[in-house]
Amino acid sequence: MTRALTLLCWLVFSIAIVAAQQPPVPSQRTTGDAIRFERLVLNDLYYCDGVSCGDIDGDGDLDVVAGPFWYEGPDFQRSHAFYEPIALPPAESPSNSMFSFVADFSGDGRQDILVLGRVHKHEAIWYENPGKSDAPWNKHVAFHRVKGESPTLVDLDGDGVPQVICHWDGCWGSIQPDPSHPTEPWRFIPIDEPEDWPQFYHGQGVGDINNDGKLDLLLNDGWYEQPDDASRTSPWKFHRGLFSTGRGGAQMFAHDVDGDGDQDVLSAVDAHGWGLAWYEQSGTRPDMAFREHLIMGDRSAIDRYGVAFTQPHALASADINGDGLPDLITGKRRWAHGPDGDIDPGAPPVVYWFELRREPGGGVRYVPHQIDDASGVGVQILATDLNQDGRVDVATASKLGTFVFLQK
C-alpha cells in the first residue's frame, strides 16, 4: 500500500501520460459547474511555495507535505515538523522550500522527503523518515543546487530510481541517488552537450511526445527525445522550437488534448504574466510542429475564455470530473517578487481548474471553474485523491499558507 501511494504522488506525470493515451471510458461524470470543494486551512503562515503528498506514517492514508511540516491524513488537522519551522513575512523573497517530493530514498520502506529551495541559494536536502512521528529526521545533502523553475521527481528511464529533472553546468539532465549508498550526494547525469541555459529557466516537464513508450523532456524551447539506449549513455536529440514565445511557463504536460492520437503539450505562456495554452501537434516524425491555442489570455480576452489572471506559476493535470479527460489545475501565484514586483499583484489569489471538453467536429474548449479566491499558488500545486474517496482533490501552498480543497 505504501509503495502504491508513493507512486501516485511522485509519478503523477507518468500516470497522466498513460491515462491520456487510453480512450475515455464511461464513468460517473460530474458536470464542472456542479463540482464543489471543501476548503481546509492547514496553516495560515508563509513557510513554503510547494506541496506534495505521501504515506509518511505508514498507516495507509495519504499525508500532505508542505515546507517543514507533514499533515496527517485523511483530515490533515494534525501536523508534525521534520525540520525547524521558520515563518517568513509574505512580502519577502521566496522561502527555502520551493518544492517537496516524497519517496523512499533510504531504502528502508519508509517515505522520506526531498526539499528543494531557491535556485541560486539553497542546496537540495532530503530528510530521512525515522519511523516515529516525533523523532528528529536526519538531514542529507542531495545536490548543490537544482536549476530550473519547475523541477519534477520522476523515474525518467524506468530503472526504479527517482530522478530530479533539472539542468547543471549548462546541460539538461537529472540528479539521482545511488540506491546502494543512499546517504551519499547524488550525481548529475547530462543528456546533451552544454548550452547557456538560464538558472531561472521557465517551462519544463516530461511526457511521451512521440508515442514510443519512453518519457521525453519538455522545455519551453523544444523537447529532448529519449533514445533507445536504456543505459542513458547516448545523447538525447533536441527538437528545437518554442512552445511559448513569451517568458515561458511552469510545469509542462503532454496529453492527447484533441483526441487525434498524438501528444499535445500544455503550458503557461508566461509564469509571471498572462496566459495558459495547449500546443496542438501536427505533422509526422521527424517534422512535428506545434500550434498554440490559448486556454486563457489577458484581461482583454476575458469574454472569450471566461477568466483572466496573472502568474500561473504552478500547474497540475488530473481528471477532476471523472470523464476520462485530463483537466488543468492552476492559480495565481501570490507575490512572486513581492507586493509590487509583478503584473497585477493586488488581484485576488485565485485557484482554478480548467475543464477539457471535446466538441463535435474535433473542436476543443477549456471551461474555467473557480476553486478558491483567497489562497493562490506558489510554484507547485497538487491534484490527486488525497482522502481516497474516488475524487481528485487539490492542495496548494503560497505566501498565504497551506490549503487543501476536498472535492465534494
Side-chain angles (χ1 to χ4, degrees), residues 161-219:
V161 179
Q163 298 133 15
V164 176
I165 310 305
C166 61
H167 69 84
W168 183 253
D169 284 343
C171 297
W172 282 98
S174 63
I175 59 172
Q176 68 179 60
D178 179 352
S180 62
H181 300 89
T183 61
E184 295 296 317
W186 298 8
R187 63 190 180 115
F188 177 76
I189 304 174
I191 61 173
D192 199 3
E193 297 299 317
E195 284 193 41
D196 186 19
W197 299 104
Q199 64 176 339
F200 300 107
Y201 188 88
H202 284 73
Q204 63 192 86
V206 296
D208 184 5
I209 290 291
N210 54 2
N211 280 338
D212 66 352
K214 298 186 297 293
L215 292 178
D216 307 304
L217 173 60
L218 312 179
L219 301 177

Side-chain angles (χ1 to χ4, degrees), residues 96-238:
N96 62 348
S97 176
M98 303 295 286
F99 297 85
S100 295
F101 299 102
V102 178
D104 179 11
F105 300 114
S106 65
D108 64 0
R110 294 190 289 265
Q111 304 309 296
D112 309 305
I113 300 172
L114 172 67
V115 177
L116 307 183
R118 299 186 69 188
V119 166
H120 61 307
K121 284 192 173 183
H122 300 116
E123 295 172 315
I125 303 292
W126 71 273
Y127 295 85
E128 187 174 356
N129 187 342
K132 297 180 180 179
S133 60
D134 297 319
W137 291 49
N138 289 330
K139 172 182 174 181
H140 305 282
V141 175
F143 204 70
H144 316 288
R145 275 179 291 280
V146 174
K147 296 185 178 182
E149 288 275 319
S150 302
T152 187
L153 184 73
V154 64
D155 184 1
L156 188 64
D157 53 7
D159 65 353
V161 179
Q163 298 133 15
V164 176
I165 310 305
C166 61
H167 69 84
W168 183 253
D169 284 343
C171 297
W172 282 98
S174 63
I175 59 172
Q176 68 179 60
D178 179 352
S180 62
H181 300 89
T183 61
E184 295 296 317
W186 298 8
R187 63 190 180 115
F188 177 76
I189 304 174
I191 61 173
D192 199 3
E193 297 299 317
E195 284 193 41
D196 186 19
W197 299 104
Q199 64 176 339
F200 300 107
Y201 188 88
H202 284 73
Q204 63 192 86
V206 296
D208 184 5
I209 290 291
N210 54 2
N211 280 338
D212 66 352
K214 298 186 297 293
L215 292 178
D216 307 304
L217 173 60
L218 312 179
L219 301 177
N220 190 57
D221 285 77
W223 61 283
Y224 278 101
E225 180 179 356
Q226 183 169 174
D228 293 331
D229 180 8
S231 67
R232 298 182 64 197
T233 58
S234 299
W236 294 33
K237 181 179 180 180
F238 187 48

Side-chain angles (χ1 to χ4, degrees), residues 112-405:
D112 309 305
I113 300 172
L114 172 67
V115 177
L116 307 183
R118 299 186 69 188
V119 166
H120 61 307
K121 284 192 173 183
H122 300 116
E123 295 172 315
I125 303 292
W126 71 273
Y127 295 85
E128 187 174 356
N129 187 342
K132 297 180 180 179
S133 60
D134 297 319
W137 291 49
N138 289 330
K139 172 182 174 181
H140 305 282
V141 175
F143 204 70
H144 316 288
R145 275 179 291 280
V146 174
K147 296 185 178 182
E149 288 275 319
S150 302
T152 187
L153 184 73
V154 64
D155 184 1
L156 188 64
D157 53 7
D159 65 353
V161 179
Q163 298 133 15
V164 176
I165 310 305
C166 61
H167 69 84
W168 183 253
D169 284 343
C171 297
W172 282 98
S174 63
I175 59 172
Q176 68 179 60
D178 179 352
S180 62
H181 300 89
T183 61
E184 295 296 317
W186 298 8
R187 63 190 180 115
F188 177 76
I189 304 174
I191 61 173
D192 199 3
E193 297 299 317
E195 284 193 41
D196 186 19
W197 299 104
Q199 64 176 339
F200 300 107
Y201 188 88
H202 284 73
Q204 63 192 86
V206 296
D208 184 5
I209 290 291
N210 54 2
N211 280 338
D212 66 352
K214 298 186 297 293
L215 292 178
D216 307 304
L217 173 60
L218 312 179
L219 301 177
N220 190 57
D221 285 77
W223 61 283
Y224 278 101
E225 180 179 356
Q226 183 169 174
D228 293 331
D229 180 8
S231 67
R232 298 182 64 197
T233 58
S234 299
W236 294 33
K237 181 179 180 180
F238 187 48
H239 302 267
R240 190 175 299 275
L242 285 175
F243 287 103
S244 165
T245 56
R247 184 193 316 227
Q251 291 83 3
M252 299 176 69
F253 305 96
H255 295 306
D256 184 6
V257 172
D258 50 7
D260 65 355
D262 57 27
Q263 297 294 294
D264 310 301
V265 173
L266 296 101
S267 175
V269 175
D270 184 343
H272 291 285
W274 302 97
L276 293 169
W278 71 278
Y279 297 85
E280 179 184 4
Q281 184 180 155
S282 61
T284 58
R285 296 183 64 184
D287 300 318
M288 296 179 188
F290 293 86
R291 176 188 175 192
E292 182 180 84
H293 300 271
L294 286 181
I295 297 170
M296 178 179 68
D298 61 20
R299 195 164 286 118
S300 68
I302 195 169
D303 289 340
R304 179 176 180 182
Y305 300 110
V307 67
F309 55 85
T310 60
Q311 298 198 70
H313 209 305
L315 277 71
S317 179
D319 181 7
I320 294 289
N321 59 349
D323 65 353
L325 301 178
D327 306 305
L328 191 65
I329 304 94
T330 187
K332 178 179 174 62
R333 185 175 180 187
R334 179 68 166 179
W335 292 357
H337 301 109
D340 301 311
D342 290 290
I343 301 171
D344 213 16
V350 295
V351 179
Y352 269 80
W353 71 278
F354 291 79
E355 178 187 4
L356 170 57
R357 294 183 182 176
R358 292 177 182 164
E359 300 180 328
V364 167
R365 183 163 63 104
Y366 279 89
V367 180
H369 303 280
Q370 182 175 290
I371 296 174
D372 189 58
D373 64 356
S375 54
V377 301
V379 293
Q380 182 186 32
I381 189 170
L382 177 65
T384 192
D385 183 4
L386 286 170
N387 57 3
Q388 300 179 72
D389 66 352
R391 304 181 183 92
V392 174
D393 311 301
V394 175
T396 69
S398 74
K399 292 192 171 184
L400 293 172
T402 303
F403 306 86
V404 164
F405 304 96

Side-chain angles (χ1 to χ4, degrees), residues 10-29:
W10 68 266
L11 287 179
V12 63
F13 289 108
S14 303
I15 295 168
I17 291 162
V18 173
Q21 291 174 339
Q22 305 301 319
V25 296
S27 63
Q28 298 298 317
R29 181 186 184 279

Side-chain angles (χ1 to χ4, degrees), residues 41-60:
V41 180
L42 307 195
N43 206 307
D44 61 1
L45 297 176
Y46 175 43
Y47 288 100
C48 59
D49 299 85
V51 59
S52 187
C53 69
D55 184 7
I56 301 299
D57 52 7
D59 65 354

